[in-house]
Amino acid sequence: MSAKDAARYYGLTFDRKGWAVCPFHQDKHPSMSFRGGRFRCWACNASGDSID
Ligand SMILES: [Zn+2]
């Protein structure tokens, strides 16, 4: 399972560019990007993979 699949499983939604609203801070606009099976929030610096 990729990080993106895991995020989708937990109810995150993605915009057209594949960015998601971050569940780790009060995010109003998608700040979280997914690449290479890992996620990274550019607003609160959260990062990890589907296991995290
Ligand atoms: Zn965040």
Side-chain angles (χ1 to χ4, degrees):
M1 183 157 63
S2 74
K4 203 165 185 174
D5 290 334
R8 194 178 286 118
Y9 178 81
Y10 286 110
L12 274 68
T13 54
F14 299 90
D15 70 6
R16 289 178 316 216
K17 290 185 286 188
W19 291 61
V21 172
C22 175
F24 300 109
H25 76 280
Q26 293 283 325
D27 205 2
K28 292 192 176 73
H29 306 286
S31 303
M32 183 172 278
S33 65
F34 293 81
R35 182 165 296 182
R38 298 182 63 82
F39 65 85
R40 170 83 189 271
C41 174
W42 300 95
C44 73
N45 242 14
S47 66
D49 57 24
S50 60
I51 297 167
D52 297 332

